[in-house]
Amino acid sequence: PAPPTADETTDAPQPVAAETAEAFPPLAALLAEVKSPGMVRADIDALIAAMGRAPAADASLRERADLLLGLMSRDNPVGKYRGENWTTVRQAAMAALLALGYPYALELPPEMVESYPSAPPVNDSPRPGPGPGAGSVVITLLSSLHQTGLIRLVAEFTGAVQFDWGSSLGPSLILGMVGVWLPALCSFLGHGLRKRWLQVVGAAGLWLLFVGWGLASLAGTASMGPGSLLLLPWHLALWAAIVMRPVPKEAEMGDAVPTAPQAPAPEP
């Protein structure tokens, strides 16, 4: 029998390979996504994964090498971005340049020739986030409880314990309670949900509480003497405002430089 013709052949490795190569966007397009204002962590992971793949058959190795060298530059902030496995873009670019072989591997910058550990250190404990710790939360709670106690004390002496809405003092005390706890709750939710705008709102409220209690302490020295500086919680309000400050934007994006960089995976 005659051999099968090209139309009768079911396996076509070359078209499949071409379709597979076209399924991945080029490095330049992925880099543009990382540099865009709406960049997310998935864009960084896609760029690192693309650098780990072999270049397409029709791709320019010179352009690929220039792009990798640009990512390895110390002045390029994209090189500090970290992917899902805690590998930086700069480390992935170095591994990709070495995989190109001669002569492109000889262009590796001297500052990138570092002695990486043979294996990354194993650390199963979760990394602490950039937000406040348990001590900061306790301090903020103590500050809010102290302020609440003073408001209740004022209510006891003025007879407004029942918060009668018919009097002018009752609604003022309720608003005081809301003003004490709302900034703390905004800070707790902002750090817990990693919403920086909530952190900023909460921090602004905590600083306003410090200013208000500070002015009240200074005004109270005229009638109570220096004891008002110890009784009124301006110091606790100041402490809470400091420990519950918003995290930097760089820390929120995960652009932190680690103490021990992870070695890039060697090419098989």
Side-chain angles (χ1 to χ4, degrees):
T5 61
D7 297 335
E8 297 174 349
T9 305
T10 56
D11 53 343
Q14 292 181 355
V16 171
E19 292 177 2
T20 305
E22 293 176 357
F24 299 108
L27 277 180
L30 294 174
L31 180 58
E33 291 292 332
V34 173
K35 291 182 177 180
S36 65
M39 182 266 294
V40 294
R41 180 60 60 84
D43 297 331
I44 302 175
D45 295 333
L47 177 62
I48 293 178
M51 287 188 289
R53 292 190 293 265
D58 56 346
S60 173
L61 297 183
R62 180 68 266 168
E63 293 181 2
R64 183 181 177 91
D66 292 339
L67 187 146
L68 296 174
L69 289 172
L71 291 175
M72 283 185 282
S73 174
R74 294 295 181 184
D75 299 332
N76 193 343
V78 178
K80 299 179 182 179
Y81 292 167
R82 295 195 172 278
E84 185 180 22
N85 60 348
W86 202 236
T87 301
T88 63
V89 172
R90 182 177 291 115
Q91 293 169 357
M94 184 188 73
L97 184 67
L98 293 177
L100 293 180
Y102 178 84
Y104 307 103
L106 300 179
E107 302 177 16
L108 186 69
E111 64 269 13
M112 293 297 297
V113 184
E114 301 175 290
S115 57
Y116 287 97
S118 57
V122 178
N123 185 10
D124 295 333
S125 60
R127 293 189 302 112
S136 302
V137 175
V138 171
I139 291 170
T140 307
L141 286 176
L142 288 177
S143 175
S144 299
L145 290 174
H146 192 155
Q147 297 172 55
T148 302
L150 287 179
I151 294 176
R152 292 288 300 177
L153 188 62
V154 171
E156 290 283 352
F157 279 104
T158 57
V161 182
Q162 302 299 325
F163 295 107
D164 184 13
W165 286 99
S167 65
S168 59
L169 187 58
S172 300
L173 293 176
I174 293 179
L175 291 177
M177 291 284 192
V178 174
V180 165
W181 283 100
L182 186 59
L185 293 177
C186 287
S187 295
F188 294 155
L189 290 176
H191 287 287
L193 301 177
R194 295 187 179 182
K195 301 294 185 181
R196 194 172 185 277
W197 68 270
L198 272 176
Q199 300 172 19
V200 173
V201 171
L206 292 174
W207 281 108
L208 287 176
L209 286 174
F210 158 68
V211 173
W213 286 114
L215 293 176
S217 300
L218 294 177
T221 55
S223 58
M224 301 173 53
S228 65
L229 298 177
L230 298 176
L231 178 62
L232 297 182
W234 62 270
H235 37 77
L236 286 176
L238 174 61
W239 201 355
I242 293 175
V243 298
M244 297 301 292
R245 60 187 179 275
V247 298
K249 291 184 178 180
E250 293 79 8
E252 191 180 44
M253 287 296 301
D255 187 19
V257 181
T259 55
Q262 181 180 4
E267 288 290 329

